[in-house]
Amino acid sequence: MNANSPVLISKAPHMGTTIFTVMSALAAEKKAVNLGQGFPDFPCDPRLTELVGDAMREGLNQYPPMPGVAPLREAVATKIETLYGRRYNANTEITVTAGATQAILAIILAIVHPGDEVIVLEPCYDSYVPNIELAGGRVVRVPLTPGSFRPDFDRIRAAIGPRTRAILINTPHNPSGMVWTREEMLTLQEILAPTNVVLISDEVYEHMVYAPLQHWSAAQFEGLAARAFIVSSFGKTYHVTGWKVGTVAAPADYTAELRKVHQFMVFTVNTPVQHALARYMANPEPYLQLPAFYQRKRDLFRQGLAQTSFKLLPGEGTYFQCADISGLQVPEKNLSEADFCQWLTAEIGVAAIPLSAFYGNGFDQKVIRFCFAKTDETLHAALDKLKGL
């Protein structure tokens, strides 16, 4: 640091580099098969990139409206109504964001005041806690049931108090792949009914739920929808995680507060990509076929892991598969999850993510997470390296 530089007092002294960045860098260094960070290694539909090019050539390259281009907001509203039976006003209740991560930060900055409490259900995606802390809120951690990762409603009830501003849920759940049931959503609705708690429902994996299960959106429940910001992601749905385009559906008064922050955070989102997505959404088949597409990959990967000593957890949704390492036939099974993943990457040649990274206290239950959003060739290469375990 330059001697003349003013000293900064960090607003985030405990925040380090994310585990995803760390493991992806190690995978690249060791030339390992990267099943850690959650992104596909296969291309999106060529038609989608053609549509982006078309929009650019048509001159759709300047600022769009701050909430998002009208055709895309209308397409999102129509999709939600078709799938979940609730009609959101495309003008006042749908906002296009620079990815789901930006959406969640904007929501939290819009509604959380210093000293407010926000409940998170651990293990949880790594942006939730820093977002709450940057807003001056207090994080209230409620663990999901170890092993099954189902919500513990007794503990959720006990966590709600006079300062509770919001609860953040994620279904299908990253990192476990657990999918909330209709009964669980109804129970949450019952618990929240007498409160002023806002619901932030992270549903970015909504189209990755495997038969015979189905996704239950907060939009399908009157008592939840009335208090909910519902977040989704085109990046996850259309295999374009690097495009960073998401959406938020919420009641008009909630949306107005969100947009106050959104306009000064990013103002708006990539214009030609928005127009391309709107045109692409005219055909619902890509997202309607997505569960079968990923279920086949899940089954291929699970069948391969079944030949090892990993104990597989249920894979109900998302493109993640969790596995218990405690029964492996190698001494490294006794390492911490984080150290095991380092060893697995460096010595076996397959990168994974420790579930302990998704807990504030680093809770270690000998479970790691693989991403199967990969080509069959990549999955077979990883399984070949793992078969001796």
Side-chain angles (χ1 to χ4, degrees):
M1 181 165 133
N2 190 298
N4 296 317
S5 298
V7 175
L8 297 181
I9 300 174
S10 176
K11 290 188 69 177
H14 306 299
M15 296 180 202
T17 305
T18 73
I19 188 65
F20 311 109
T21 300
V22 170
M23 295 310 300
S24 286
L26 182 62
E29 176 191 340
K30 300 297 183 181
K31 296 181 170 54
V33 180
N34 189 357
L35 303 188
Q37 195 167 2
F39 61 86
D41 70 343
F42 46 82
C44 67
D45 183 346
R47 176 63 182 148
L48 189 50
T49 53
E50 289 170 6
L51 289 169
V52 176
D54 290 345
M56 289 179 172
R57 285 185 289 272
E58 291 168 21
L60 297 170
N61 298 303
Q62 306 310 322
Y63 291 128
M66 178 269 290
V69 301
L72 183 55
R73 286 183 281 119
E74 186 63 40
V76 170
T78 298
K79 187 189 90 163
I80 294 173
E81 183 177 25
T82 301
L83 294 179
Y84 307 128
R86 179 169 301 280
R87 180 69 189 183
Y88 285 87
N89 184 300
N91 292 323
T92 61
E93 298 182 319
I94 302 289
T95 306
V96 180
T97 61
T101 301
Q102 183 255 324
I104 293 168
L105 175 58
I107 293 165
I108 290 171
L109 289 176
I111 68 171
V112 174
H113 297 256
D116 283 352
E117 295 179 352
V118 181
I119 296 170
V120 299
L121 307 181
E122 287 192 320
C124 65
Y125 183 61
D126 68 344
S127 81
Y128 296 172
V129 168
N131 288 180
I132 297 162
E133 292 176 343
L134 286 171
R138 177 175 171 265
V139 179
V140 177
R141 304 172 189 270
V142 175
L144 296 166
T145 305
S148 70
F149 300 98
R150 307 228 67 87
D152 185 331
F153 290 112
D154 288 340
R155 298 187 74 157
I156 291 172
R157 281 190 184 91
I160 295 174
R163 297 198 66 92
T164 306
R165 167 50 49 206
I167 180 171
L168 215 164
I169 71 169
N170 175 208
T171 180
H173 180 246
N174 177 17
S176 75
M178 179 270 294
V179 174
W180 282 50
T181 65
R182 179 176 183 274
E183 290 70 26
E184 287 167 339
M185 297 296 281
L186 286 170
T187 301
L188 180 65
Q189 179 173 253
E190 175 191 345
I191 290 172
L192 297 182
T195 77
N196 288 316
V197 176
V198 173
L199 173 62
I200 305 170
S201 188
D202 179 352
E203 302 182 16
V204 299
Y205 298 100
E206 61 180 314
H207 300 300
M208 298 169 213
V209 176
Y210 307 123
L213 303 178
Q214 70 177 85
H215 174 61
W216 291 97
S217 172
Q220 292 168 274
F221 303 88
E222 183 66 38
L224 295 180
R227 66 176 70 236
F229 292 92
I230 301 172
V231 180
S232 192
S233 164
F234 292 110
K236 298 296 190 297
T237 301
Y238 292 139
H239 317 310
V240 286
T241 59
W243 288 11
K244 297 298 293 179
V245 184
T247 61
V248 179
D253 53 340
Y254 285 26
T255 296
E257 294 303 313
L258 163 67
R259 290 177 179 178
K260 290 177 184 178
V261 175
H262 172 74
Q263 68 180 336
F264 293 115
M265 180 180 286
V266 296
F267 180 61
T268 191
V269 177
N270 187 298
T271 303
V273 165
Q274 287 196 61
H275 283 284
L277 288 167
R279 295 169 186 178
Y280 192 72
M281 287 183 72
N283 176 13
E285 288 306 306
Y287 60 78
L288 293 178
Q289 294 172 356
L290 201 63
F293 173 84
Y294 273 124
Q295 185 162 349
R296 189 191 66 79
K297 289 187 177 294
R298 181 204 65 172
D299 293 347
L300 183 158
F301 191 55
R302 285 178 65 89
Q303 288 163 10
L305 285 183
Q307 308 307 309
T308 72
S309 296
F310 283 108
K311 179 184 176 183
L312 303 183
L313 278 65
E316 297 179 344
T318 75
Y319 47 46
F320 302 117
Q321 176 62 56
C322 288
D324 188 319
I325 66 173
S326 59
L328 296 181
Q329 304 302 305
V330 292
E332 286 79 10
K333 71 178 184 180
N334 296 313
L335 295 171
S336 68
E337 292 172 4
D339 287 345
F340 179 86
C341 286
Q342 295 268 346
W343 170 81
L344 191 71
T345 305
E347 302 301 327
I348 303 301
V350 178
I353 299 291
L355 249 65
S356 56
F358 297 84
Y359 288 90
N361 64 0
F363 176 53
D364 195 307
Q365 53 199 312
K366 298 296 182 182
V367 175
I368 65 174
R369 190 200 79 177
F370 296 103
C371 173
F372 56 80
K374 309 296 177 183
T375 64
D376 289 5
E377 181 182 16
T378 299
L379 294 176
H380 283 301
L383 290 168
D384 188 58
K385 293 175 179 292
L386 296 170
K387 65 183 180 183
L389 297 179

